[in-house]
Amino acid sequence: MILVRQEIGDVLRDFRLQKGRTLRQVASKASVALGYLSEVERGQKEASSEILASVADALDVPISTIMREVGDRISVLEGLQVFPDVVPDELVASIEPQLSLR
């Protein structure tokens, strides 16, 4: 079973580490209790949208970027492709006249 809270926590931790920030620094800047943020990162607690927005702001990462990464990770776990393996037929039909060699 895929736990969205686990994926959110993993993404938040990854962004925090990429930024070279400690849990304490992010919690302080986001005005979130250190222990609570730690539990969110470990997927033990669900974060409200307000807390996610505060943490995203503390990380200087748009919340849309965080949510897109969460969605991409869940797609992989579900076995879905982020990008199609083939070009859809309707797209081929729309550009095929432009591709013909004369």
Side-chain angles (χ1 to χ4, degrees):
M1 173 190 334
I2 298 170
L3 294 177
V4 175
R5 72 174 182 255
Q6 183 67 52
E7 296 308 314
I8 290 171
D10 289 347
V11 168
L12 292 176
R13 182 184 313 104
D14 289 348
F15 275 113
R16 179 176 61 77
L17 294 174
Q18 286 173 17
K19 299 280 185 167
R21 298 193 185 144
T22 66
L23 196 58
R24 184 175 307 280
Q25 289 169 326
V26 174
S28 176
K29 188 170 181 186
S31 299
V32 175
L34 176 66
Y36 184 75
L37 183 56
S38 175
E39 289 176 314
V40 168
E41 281 194 1
R42 288 182 279 137
Q44 295 175 337
K45 295 281 184 178
E46 301 257 0
S48 68
S49 58
E50 291 85 1
I51 288 177
L52 286 175
S54 292
V55 173
D57 188 51
L59 292 169
D60 301 316
V61 176
I63 195 158
S64 60
T65 301
I66 291 171
M67 298 312 289
R68 187 177 315 110
E69 179 66 22
V70 169
D72 289 349
R73 290 178 184 214
I74 290 172
S75 291
V76 169
L77 292 172
E78 292 175 332
L80 302 176
Q81 298 289 329
V82 176
F83 300 103
D85 289 334
V86 295
V87 177
D89 290 337
E90 56 272 5
L91 182 58
V92 170
S94 70
I95 63 170
E96 196 167 21
Q98 300 167 11
L99 297 175
S100 64
L101 299 173
R102 294 183 187 176

